[in-house]
Every structure is written in structure tokens, then in C-alpha cells.
Amino acid sequence: MTERDPCERCEEMLQPYLDRDLEPAEVAEAERHLDGCAYCRRRYRFELSLRRYIRISATEGLKAKLAELRGLAGG
Ligand SMILES: [Zn+2]
């Protein structure tokens, strides 16, 4: 077998996938794999929530979030 482990390939594509940095064909490949692989899907969701958390934690994001919350509270 010269075929590479598809999960290993998926892992390589995960970061550029999240960065929207892949070719359309690679996006399709990654999504096809994520669709059928619970292991990679979990890892994808984890990365996604991690990125969301980091983004919100970043100073700029925090400011924006606070402004948004103040806007909601103050009207
Ligand atoms: Zn996989």
C-alpha cells in the first residue's frame, strides 16, 4: 500500500481548510473525509471552537464583543 493514511492527509489540510486557504478540490476532499470520519470531525470541531475562543479572547475581538454587548444593553 502506497496510499497515505487519509486521516493524516486530512490533518494536514485542517489548518489551511480553517484558513480558507485550500483549492476548491481540496476543500471538497476535506469535507468528504470529514463527512465520513467521526475522528477527524471531532478534531475539526475542536479546532473550530479553539479558533473561536482565541478570536474572542484576542484584544480586538474582546473590544468588539464588549461594544456589541453594550449596544445590546444600552440600545
Ligand atoms: Zn479521518
Side-chain angles (χ1 to χ4, degrees), residues 29-44:
E29 190 186 341
E31 282 176 348
R32 199 160 51 235
H33 183 82
L34 286 168
D35 213 40
C37 181
Y39 172 69
C40 289
R41 205 156 52 226
R42 260 203 308 276
R43 200 159 51 184
Y44 166 71

Side-chain angles (χ1 to χ4, degrees), residues 4-35:
R4 293 185 57 201
D5 181 359
C7 289
E8 196 180 303
R9 168 126 176 88
C10 187
E11 187 176 10
E12 276 175 17
M13 290 197 295
L14 198 56
Q15 298 303 330
Y17 177 74
L18 286 160
D19 290 330
R20 305 279 187 268
D21 226 13
L22 289 178
E23 300 296 321
E26 291 175 314
V27 172
E29 190 186 341
E31 282 176 348
R32 199 160 51 235
H33 183 82
L34 286 168
D35 213 40

